[in-house]
Amino acid sequence: MDDEIFLLPDDITDPPARAGAWTIAVVDDDPAVHEGTRYALAGYELDGRGLEILSAYSAAEARLLLAARPDVAVVFLDVVMESDDAGLRLVGDIRRELGNETVRIILRTGQPGQAPERRVIVDYDINDYKAKTELTADKLFTSLTAALRAYQQLKRLDETRRGLEIILDAAPMLLDHKSMQRLAEGVLTQVASLLNVECAGILVLRENDATDERFCVLAGSGCYGHYVGRNPAWPLDPDVHPVVERAFAERTHSFGDHWSTLYMHTASGSEIVALIDADRSLSDTDRSLIDLLTTRLSIAFDNVILYEKLQRANVELEQRVLERTAELIRANRRLDLQRSNLRRANNLKTEILGTVAHDLKNPLSVILGRSEMLSDMLAIETVPKAQMGVQVEAVRTAAKRLIGMIDTLMADAMNDALDITLRREPLDLAALAGEVCEANRPLAETKGQSLRFATQEAVYVCGDSERLREAIDNLVSNAIKYSFIDSAIEVSVRDEGTEIICAVTDQGPGLSPEDASRLFGRFQRLSAKPTGGEGSTGLGLSIVRRIVELHGGRTEAHSAGMGSGATFLMRFPKISVGLI
């Protein structure tokens, strides 16, 4: 080149590149231009940042350099190198093929006529056009500073645009999250993408209620991933703890060289701190984008918190519905049971009324008829005392039968009471059965029946003597009532080791299979009929079963068939009745 503008020392060395330095490229086929540019810009500094100067000696070499180093801020480009328009074609390649719109290009030429300035400025996207003869050290400083300022502004605009695109793309995805953990993981990913740096971090949630403050690490990335799932009381290590705690206390963003903390407060009252550990300090553009992102994140976190509350409310509501449904089912079952009991009670009432109407009518009719006969006899002048005595005896007998039936009905009502209690005491069941036999012997003798008590030795049980007497009496009186005239009835009490058995055997009409199936039911009419015209309520055997069950025993009846008699048994387990 004919027009050198720099005086160079014999030995030029590049200053070491510093972290955060501006990167510029000198593209020229003349080595002296590279050396002169380095010399002129030695010690250059802008905004506390020095220069890293790269060199390329042809357009082809520069194309490879710029493709490998997209962080180049300014290019000093010679027009004429391997061809007259090599520099201009490189400008087109940088803008179109490499797609680099932010790098500032200062065109330098030693032959301005070959590349007229006006046409070049209009046709090519360059920052400045200088002839090498006019590019003194001061002019070089001025042009570089202006280019770096323009580059810085373009980078901020580009970062802002890219950040806004990331925020717009992330917003639907973040707002769509229904899980707090998934949302937190997405936030860390989007913050790293927004800042365009490799960074690690954690998100900490603080939920405030009336009695407690609870902390929870929602997500962690990089070296902070192990915090997730720790003890929720305060899951952070001592070096991280004060940083996050200060962010909650100050309730604002904080940006530092190593750590930055982002604070978010949701409308639902929850607070969230994101701690970001990046490999560089955040720029003003980064901080503005962070502010914008966090406003959107508050809405996203509120959505998740409200969704989770809604889910919990739905679960609680479903549980309450299930509990209420189960309660209604139980209530319906109780109502069904009560309705069934009422139906049975109504049927029982009908049976009782039928029994009372049928069985009590006969003795009442006898009493009424005999009373009319007595009235007629009293109208006779000479009262027939003997005949009147017969009628009075018939009235007395009918009244006794009526009283007996009423006593039976009352005994059944008492046995059916839910709060019935037994007065247990040691007693000789054999002696009790013997007393019942002696009381019923005159009734048996009136029908020509022999009533034999076969037990001689004492057999002790623990029970209610009046109730047991009633049960034995019902079996003995039934045997007399249904046995044939001149037949034999036998009563026995025996100890069979594990059980005490009281048995009453008659020589009556026996039991049919139909009788055996409903023998101990209430108000049951059996196929056999009383042999002396006695009345029956159909309650005697049911009373016997109830008394025996109250003593922990069971009742049985055996018969070889119709006309073969029957044996009725009361079995008492020794352990239940408390034998002594």
Side-chain angles (χ1 to χ4, degrees):
M1 303 294 291
D2 297 330
D3 45 339
E4 299 300 330
I5 62 172
F6 304 116
L7 297 176
L8 303 177
D10 294 334
D11 187 14
I12 299 294
T13 57
D14 292 336
R18 293 178 296 172
W22 301 101
T23 303
I24 68 172
V26 179
V27 182
D28 201 300
D29 57 355
D30 186 353
V33 173
H34 291 268
E35 294 172 357
T37 302
R38 292 178 184 276
Y39 179 77
L41 296 177
Y44 180 91
E45 188 173 291
L46 179 64
D47 295 336
R49 299 168 62 183
L51 292 179
E52 178 186 4
I53 302 176
L54 307 176
S55 293
Y57 295 92
S58 67
E61 186 178 342
R63 188 179 295 105
L64 295 175
L65 173 64
L66 292 171
R69 293 292 300 269
D71 60 326
V72 172
V74 178
V75 176
F76 288 100
L77 176 61
D78 187 16
V79 175
V80 180
M81 288 178 287
E82 61 263 46
S83 64
D84 291 344
D85 61 349
L88 295 178
R89 284 191 285 109
L90 178 60
V91 173
D93 291 343
I94 292 173
R95 300 308 189 198
R96 290 189 297 271
E97 292 184 11
L98 299 181
N100 192 336
E101 300 289 342
T102 55
V103 62
R104 298 295 85 200
I105 301 174
I106 299 176
L107 205 64
R108 299 195 300 185
T109 180
Q111 303 173 15
Q114 286 186 293
E117 182 174 351
R118 290 190 178 186
R119 183 178 64 81
V120 170
I121 288 292
V122 171
D123 295 343
Y124 294 90
D125 180 12
I126 62 173
N127 194 62
D128 204 353
Y129 182 100
K130 297 291 184 183
K132 291 182 180 179
T133 56
E134 66 174 319
L135 199 59
T136 64
D138 289 339
K139 293 288 186 181
L140 183 64
F141 179 90
T142 303
S143 296
L144 176 61
T145 301
L148 288 177
R149 295 289 192 198
Y151 172 80
Q152 189 177 39
Q153 293 172 2
L154 288 174
K155 286 295 291 184
R156 286 178 180 174
L157 289 174
D158 187 61
E159 289 173 358
T160 302
R161 176 189 56 79
R162 184 186 59 83
L164 290 175
E165 289 175 352
I166 292 173
I167 292 173
L168 291 175
D169 290 340
M173 181 191 69
L174 294 175
L175 291 173
D176 192 52
H177 280 306
K178 298 298 186 291
S179 163
M180 184 69 78
Q181 184 174 355
R182 290 289 305 279
L183 174 61
E185 293 170 353
V187 167
L188 291 179
T189 302
Q190 294 303 325
V191 168
S193 176
L194 180 66
L195 301 179
N196 198 24
V197 294
E198 291 292 333
C199 64
I202 54 172
L203 255 76
V204 181
L205 169 70
R206 179 169 73 176
E207 291 185 304
N208 300 320
D209 57 30
T211 59
D212 190 20
E213 287 187 346
R214 293 178 295 168
F215 297 91
C216 175
V217 176
L218 300 177
S221 64
C223 60
Y224 300 99
H226 65 284
Y227 286 114
V228 180
R230 281 193 176 185
N231 181 2
W234 188 253
L236 302 177
D237 290 338
D239 56 336
V240 180
H241 181 152
V243 178
V244 176
E245 193 173 47
R246 183 170 62 253
F248 278 121
E250 295 177 353
R251 297 188 174 187
T252 185
H253 301 327
S254 175
F255 302 99
D257 294 336
H258 178 50
W259 278 326
S260 295
T261 54
L262 315 178
Y263 175 81
M264 289 163 277
H265 185 274
T266 69
S268 57
S270 298
E271 295 176 284
I272 299 161
V273 164
L275 184 145
I276 305 300
D277 186 355
D279 56 6
R280 64 171 175 81
S281 299
L282 302 187
S283 66
D284 292 339
T285 302
D286 294 332
R287 298 179 185 187
S288 299
L289 291 172
I290 286 293
D291 277 331
L292 181 60
L293 178 63
T294 52
T295 59
R296 299 297 182 267
L297 292 180
S298 297
I299 299 173
F301 278 109
D302 252 338
N303 287 344
V304 172
I305 291 170
L306 294 175
Y307 178 81
E308 290 183 348
K309 288 182 178 179
L310 180 61
Q311 289 295 96
R312 289 195 295 269
N314 285 338
V315 170
E316 293 175 359
L317 180 59
E318 289 176 0
Q319 183 63 32
R320 291 178 62 185
V321 169
L322 290 175
E323 293 174 356
R324 183 57 178 164
T325 301
E327 183 180 345
L328 289 174
I329 290 173
R330 290 192 296 270
N332 286 334
R333 288 175 179 172
R334 289 194 298 268
L335 289 175
D336 289 340
L337 180 61
Q338 291 175 0
R339 183 166 56 250
S340 178
N341 291 337
L342 288 173
R343 188 180 295 111
R344 286 196 298 270
N346 187 60
N347 293 337
L348 180 60
K349 177 201 70 173
T350 303
E351 292 178 359
I352 292 175
L353 292 176
T355 300
V356 171
H358 180 272
D359 292 335
L360 301 187
K361 183 178 180 180
N362 290 335
L364 286 174
S365 298
V366 171
I367 293 173
L368 182 59
R370 299 294 180 172
S371 299
E372 291 177 353
M373 293 177 66
L374 286 173
S375 297
D376 292 341
M377 291 178 183
L378 289 174
I380 301 174
E381 291 183 3
T382 303
V383 178
K385 293 182 179 181
Q387 294 179 6
M388 291 180 66
V390 173
Q391 302 302 325
V392 169
E393 185 60 30
V395 170
R396 183 181 294 112
T397 301
K400 287 181 179 180
R401 287 177 58 193
L402 186 60
I403 291 173
M405 291 181 182
I406 292 173
D407 288 342
T408 300
L409 289 170
M410 292 178 64
D412 177 69
M414 292 177 64
N415 285 324
D416 201 38
L418 295 177
D419 58 348
I420 187 172
T421 56
L422 298 178
R423 293 177 294 180
R424 294 181 179 272
E425 57 184 354
L427 59 92
D428 184 353
L429 188 62
L432 185 63
E435 293 176 5
V436 173
C437 288
E438 289 303 317
N440 282 277
R441 195 176 303 281
L443 183 60
E445 290 176 350
T446 60
K447 299 181 66 173
Q449 299 166 343
S450 63
L451 179 59
R452 188 169 68 90
F453 181 59
T455 303
Q456 299 298 326
E457 60 183 9
V459 180
Y460 286 95
V461 298
C462 185
D464 189 317
S465 61
E466 291 302 320
R467 291 288 182 173
L468 292 175
R469 183 191 300 275
E470 181 182 358
I472 299 172
D473 184 72
N474 275 343
L475 290 181
V476 173
S477 61
N478 262 10
I480 296 172
K481 184 184 300 183
Y482 289 97
S483 293
F484 299 117
I485 297 174
D486 298 331
S487 62
I489 300 170
E490 181 176 302
V491 178
S492 64
V493 178
R494 60 184 182 272
D495 186 344
E496 291 194 351
T498 59
E499 291 182 317
I500 302 297
I501 297 177
C502 177
V504 177
T505 303
D506 62 47
Q507 295 178 349
L511 301 172
S512 67
E514 293 78 11
D515 292 339
S517 64
R518 53 193 178 91
L519 190 62
F520 293 98
R522 300 170 72 181
F523 301 101
Q524 295 298 320
R525 300 293 186 180
L526 304 182
S527 56
K529 304 296 180 183
T531 56
E534 298 94 337
S536 174
T537 61
L539 292 171
L541 292 179
S542 68
I543 293 174
V544 171
R545 182 182 65 178
R546 175 64 172 158
I547 292 173
V548 173
E549 288 176 349
L550 287 172
H551 284 80
R554 69 184 191 277
T555 54
E556 296 177 1
H558 304 285
S559 175
M562 297 299 293
S564 301
T567 299
F568 293 85
L569 304 174
M570 295 185 294
R571 294 180 176 271
F572 301 98
K574 283 185 177 181
I575 188 171
S576 296
V577 298
L579 295 178
I580 57 174

